[in-house]
Amino acid sequence: MLNIPLNRTYTLAPILVSVLLLAVFLLPEDLLFQLTYERPHIQAGQWWRLLTGQFVHLSWGHLAINIAGIWVMYLLYAEHAAGWRYMGVVALLALASNLGMYWFAANITYYVGFSGVLYGLFAWGALRDVQQRIKFGWLLLVGIVVKVTWEYGYGPVSIGPATADDLAVAAHFYGVVGGLLVAAFTILLARLRLPKTQG
């Protein structure tokens, strides 16, 4: 039986992120397109796009899939970050995914969508599972790393009707890199604090 944290400490943050995605989607177009990831505008000094681009969606279907993804990640990993820690992880992963594309994928000039964050959350949670010796943690971790690495090197793995144009391979790859880095930093920080707690 799944042990799902249902109290507000764990549910409020994913609810807020879901509402944020919906609120951004409903913005007037002139405001919405001030938030997209667009390389020329970032190079011109609009640095906020490195964060906000992950929160923009241009269709109801795309938005619905990514909000569903938030709740899949909640079911898998809710116990690893409660409240504002979850919000912090989401913000760091949005930055990591977009910064990775900005620094290392110059061919990508335009991007919208939350999938880079979702892939990052998957990798972050899987590594936290491994650290806490939770069953299947290694399987999830190896699976996501192999998937994004293969896709980054050899092209996307088709899923149902999706095509290469539909899959933001670079966003997923750098989201996973960001997720692993954030999880590793969190684990290291906890270990550095452990002797003080015990002393």
Side-chain angles (χ1 to χ4, degrees):
M1 183 176 179
L2 288 173
N3 183 21
I4 302 171
L6 294 176
N7 65 63
R8 192 174 66 175
T9 302
Y10 294 96
T11 59
L12 182 59
I15 289 171
L16 289 175
V17 174
S18 301
V19 170
L20 174 61
L21 294 187
L22 177 61
V24 171
F25 178 74
L26 294 175
L27 286 173
E29 278 195 7
D30 57 335
L31 291 178
L32 185 67
F33 286 101
Q34 295 298 314
L35 305 178
T36 53
Y37 175 100
E38 295 186 56
R39 180 176 292 272
H41 293 310
I42 295 169
Q43 291 172 330
Q46 297 181 11
W47 296 104
W48 65 85
R49 293 175 182 266
L50 287 170
L51 175 65
T52 59
Q54 290 279 326
F55 299 92
V56 176
H57 298 82
L58 301 180
S59 73
W60 281 106
H62 191 198
L63 174 68
I65 288 171
N66 281 338
I67 288 179
I70 291 171
W71 292 97
V72 171
M73 293 304 105
Y74 165 79
L75 292 174
L76 287 171
Y77 305 127
E79 71 276 10
H80 293 320
W84 294 109
R85 285 183 295 159
Y86 176 94
M87 306 292 282
V89 169
V90 166
L92 287 172
L93 295 178
L95 280 171
S97 181
N98 283 345
L99 280 171
M101 289 192 292
Y102 186 74
W103 287 333
F104 305 113
N107 59 308
I108 298 177
T109 59
Y110 179 86
Y111 175 81
V112 296
F114 200 65
S115 59
V117 174
L118 292 176
Y119 271 71
L121 282 172
F122 193 100
W124 164 83
L127 186 53
R128 295 297 306 274
D129 274 0
V130 169
Q131 183 253 336
Q132 296 184 17
R133 300 182 181 180
I134 295 175
K135 196 174 183 180
F136 299 127
W138 275 112
L139 181 62
L140 296 174
L141 180 61
V142 171
I144 194 65
V145 170
V146 168
K147 180 181 186 297
V148 298
T149 302
W150 175 271
E151 290 182 340
Y152 197 68
Y154 299 101
V157 176
S158 294
I159 303 173
T163 66
D165 291 336
D166 298 321
L167 299 172
V169 171
H172 299 169
F173 180 83
Y174 293 112
V176 166
V177 171
L180 296 176
L181 290 174
V182 171
F185 178 78
T186 303
I187 293 167
L188 178 62
L189 195 61
R191 289 180 176 175
L192 290 174
R193 289 175 173 174
L194 189 59
K196 296 180 181 179
T197 303
Q198 292 179 339

